[in-house]
């Protein structure tokens, strides 16, 4: 199912956007749509869940108490590079400014109903053609699954089964952790004989554990701590 978020503090405009989305996608596929009228609440959501949305439709002006849509888009670019961002604004003077972040489309308010379908179609095309390097392919029983790397929190080995944990789903495979890690970027590291973690998704590293924003605590083995701590520090300096 496609996950879409709309963040717009203008209730009239957000209703226009939702209507345009429903009209464009209703007969194409199933989707879940989350509506945010508060930029701060939306920021908390994407930070705590590492932006679980496939498509985000953002207003640029979100009130004095919130970051701008452009600033939020920069955070989304880091948290989930695959997320497609569509800007909607009644202020055309912002159009040049949006190029400081990766985005898919800019729509002026008076053309929402006209251009939303095109913006969504391009977003869907981009999502469907994500590169192999952005995903982990695993065999689960007789089926093969494509898991976006930035959705993976950690990997756990239990006797003869390995479980790949994301925020919403678990995938079980017989493949060993070491074999899986060879197909993943360097920010996936072994932290224990039974665990590997995605350092980009970790909120904190302690001597005995890695903490994730969903409250999950993963053990760190004594012999792994220094390497994990060093790698975590390097990744966070790149943010």
């Amino acid at each position: 199912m496609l996950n879409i978020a709309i963040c717009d503090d203008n209730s009239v405009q957000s209703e226009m956007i939702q209507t345009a989305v429903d009209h464009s996608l209703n007969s194409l596929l199933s989707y879940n749509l989350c509506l945010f009228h508060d930029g701060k609440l939306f920021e908390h959501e994407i930070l705590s869940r590492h932006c679980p949305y496939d498509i985000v439709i953002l207003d640029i002006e979100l009130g004095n108490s919130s970051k701008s849509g452009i600033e939020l888009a920069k955070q989304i670019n880091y948290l989930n590079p695959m997320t497609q961002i569509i800007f909607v604004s009644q202020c055309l003077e912002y159009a040049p400014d949006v190029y400081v972040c990766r985005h898919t489309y800019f729509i002026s308010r008076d053309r929402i109903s006209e251009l939303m379908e095109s913006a969504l179609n391009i977003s869907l095309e981009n999502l469907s053609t994500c590169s192999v390097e952005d995903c982990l392919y695993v065999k689960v029983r007789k089926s093969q699954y494509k898991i976006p790397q930035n959705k993976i929190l950690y990997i756990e080995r239990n006797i003869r089964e390995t479980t790949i944990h994301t925020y919403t789903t678990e995938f079980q495979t017989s493949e060993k952790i070491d074999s899986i890690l060879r197909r993943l970027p360097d920010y996936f590291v072994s932290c224990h004989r039974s665990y590997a973690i995605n350092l980009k998704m970790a909120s904190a590293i302690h001597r005995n554990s890695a903490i994730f924003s969903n409250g999950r605590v993963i053990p760190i083995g004594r012999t792994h701590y220094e390497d994990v701590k060093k790698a975590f520090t390097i990744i966070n300096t790149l943010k």
Side-chain angles (χ1 to χ4, degrees):
M1 178 179 289
L2 194 70
N3 289 311
I4 302 174
I6 299 171
C7 181
D8 194 323
D9 64 337
N10 184 311
S11 59
V12 174
Q13 182 166 290
S14 63
E15 186 174 338
M16 292 169 60
I17 294 170
Q18 186 170 357
T19 299
V21 170
D22 290 339
H23 177 76
S24 300
L25 295 180
N26 219 6
S27 60
L28 292 177
L29 41 76
S30 60
Y31 60 93
N32 179 52
L33 195 152
C34 297
L35 186 60
F36 296 86
H37 290 300
D38 187 310
K40 282 189 172 181
L41 289 178
F42 177 68
E43 182 181 17
H44 178 267
E45 174 75 1
I46 62 173
L47 289 176
S48 62
R49 300 184 60 202
H50 286 259
C51 192
Y53 304 106
D54 301 295
I55 299 173
V56 172
I57 304 172
L58 275 172
D59 189 9
I60 294 178
E61 289 186 332
L62 294 169
N64 295 330
S65 62
S66 170
K67 292 180 178 178
S68 72
I70 293 173
E71 291 173 304
L72 292 174
K74 289 180 181 179
Q75 290 180 289
I76 293 170
N77 286 166
Y78 176 81
L79 294 167
N80 189 348
M82 292 172 63
T83 297
Q84 304 297 300
I85 297 172
I86 300 171
F87 286 112
V88 176
S89 179
Q90 61 182 345
C91 302
L92 290 179
E93 61 266 28
Y94 287 124
D97 298 332
V98 300
Y99 289 96
V100 299
C101 58
R102 293 192 304 276
H103 67 285
T104 304
Y105 220 98
F106 180 97
I107 303 175
S108 61
R109 177 178 176 174
D110 59 344
R111 302 186 70 186
I112 290 174
S113 58
E114 175 190 352
L115 296 178
M116 185 58 69
E117 184 172 358
S118 294
L120 290 171
N121 285 339
I122 293 173
S123 297
L124 292 173
E125 182 177 349
N126 290 343
L127 288 168
S128 67
T129 58
C130 67
S131 66
V132 173
E133 289 79 12
D134 293 330
C135 296
L136 172 69
Y137 289 80
V138 292
K139 188 175 182 180
V140 179
R141 297 182 179 88
K142 294 183 179 180
S143 301
Q144 181 162 295
Y145 285 81
K146 181 174 73 170
I147 310 171
Q149 293 173 1
N150 60 349
K151 300 289 187 182
I152 299 171
L153 296 176
Y154 62 96
I155 305 169
E156 177 183 10
R157 183 72 177 179
N158 186 11
I159 307 177
R160 296 181 180 177
E161 185 175 75
T162 297
T163 303
I164 300 167
H165 296 263
T166 72
Y167 269 108
T168 58
T169 314
E170 296 179 356
F171 301 88
Q172 279 79 36
T173 179
S174 59
E175 188 175 1
K176 294 181 179 179
I177 289 179
D178 287 346
S179 175
I180 293 173
L181 285 176
R182 285 195 287 269
R183 306 199 307 279
L184 289 169
D186 291 342
Y187 52 82
F188 285 88
V189 298
S190 176
C191 64
H192 185 278
R193 65 182 180 180
S194 300
Y195 290 93
I197 57 176
N198 180 350
L199 289 173
K200 282 192 172 183
M201 302 292 265
S203 299
I205 298 294
H206 301 306
R207 178 162 290 277
N208 299 314
S209 60
I211 313 297
F212 291 86
S213 57
N214 64 350
R216 184 65 172 148
V217 179
I218 304 301
I220 296 178
R222 181 174 54 84
T223 59
H224 291 82
Y225 172 69
E226 290 299 332
D227 289 339
V228 171
K229 179 184 177 183
K230 181 178 179 181
F232 182 72
T233 301
I234 291 172
I235 284 172
N236 279 275
T237 59
L238 299 175
K239 288 186 179 181

